[in-house]
Amino acid sequence: MKVGWGAVSAGISLQSSARRFDNGRAFVNTKINHLAVWTLVVIHQLIGWGWYAIFGEKWLNLHARTMTDIERTHNVGAYVFAIVTAIVVNYTLAWLISRLNATTAVAGLKIALLCWFGFLFVEHATIAVFSAFETNPWPLICIDMGRPFVAFSISGLVLGAWRQRDVASS
């Protein structure tokens, strides 16, 4: 089999980018605006509160439940887990936006929505629609995935805009 120089140089190029990606110092030295991330952690909690204040009754109806059914599930562990999740999501998005050198709000938005769609929505929708244990209707899937869609969108916009501001001031 004959391999052209283009394929060889593409292989070298891919290999050299992989080395840069695996460089521990580059991973640690990625500039992240911690104030932006922690602000977004709070915003994610507010989005969750607002989302279910608006869609909570419909969500309960689609699950064939009432408020009485879920009142006993309001423990501090669920809220701590939601906060930890928001921290992980926002630091990951901040790192990814920085590593991909997205320096505008729109570029940050595109990255965040690509992550939301590729890693969250497709997986959740597939499980919810085709699972033998739960066959959720599309309105329920949209309610469940709408909150992270809004949260990821705001995170992408803010982190991209903050990167733009950081790059402009450098």
Side-chain angles (χ1 to χ4, degrees):
M1 180 165 131
K2 185 176 179 178
V3 177
W5 283 107
V8 171
S9 66
I12 292 169
S13 154
L14 288 174
Q15 186 177 23
S16 63
S17 347
R19 275 194 213 118
R20 280 195 312 266
F21 185 72
D22 289 338
N23 182 347
R25 281 178 275 139
F27 179 82
V28 174
N29 292 335
T30 300
K31 186 171 174 143
I32 292 176
N33 187 317
H34 299 285
L35 177 60
V37 170
W38 286 99
T39 301
L40 288 164
V41 168
V42 172
I43 289 171
H44 274 229
Q45 302 317 300
L46 295 173
I47 290 169
W49 172 78
W51 190 261
Y52 288 103
I54 295 169
F55 296 109
E57 190 174 322
K58 179 72 172 168
W59 184 85
L60 285 170
N61 290 338
L62 289 167
H63 275 292
R65 303 216 179 211
T66 65
M67 276 304 284
T68 317
D69 295 331
I70 65 166
E71 282 176 356
R72 66 181 178 279
T73 63
H74 290 309
N75 62 37
V76 74
Y79 295 104
V80 169
F81 190 65
I83 292 167
V84 169
T85 300
I87 292 167
V88 170
V89 164
N90 283 294
Y91 268 108
T92 303
L93 283 174
W95 179 82
L96 191 58
I97 287 168
S98 179
R99 291 294 292 170
L100 293 174
N101 202 26
T103 56
T104 66
V106 172
L109 174 67
K110 287 177 182 178
I111 292 167
L113 290 182
L114 185 62
C115 289
W116 170 83
F117 183 77
F119 301 127
L120 192 61
F121 178 78
V122 171
E123 186 71 24
H124 179 77
T126 301
I127 291 168
V129 171
F130 296 111
S131 172
F133 301 106
E134 60 178 297
T135 51
N136 294 328
W138 278 103
L140 181 58
I141 293 169
C142 291
I143 290 173
D144 285 341
M145 290 292 95
R147 185 207 46 82
F149 175 83
V150 171
F152 272 60
S153 297
I154 291 171
S155 291
L157 287 167
V158 168
L159 293 168
W162 232 309
R163 283 262 310 135
Q164 181 178 19
R165 196 186 91 201
D166 288 345
V167 169
S169 65
S170 310

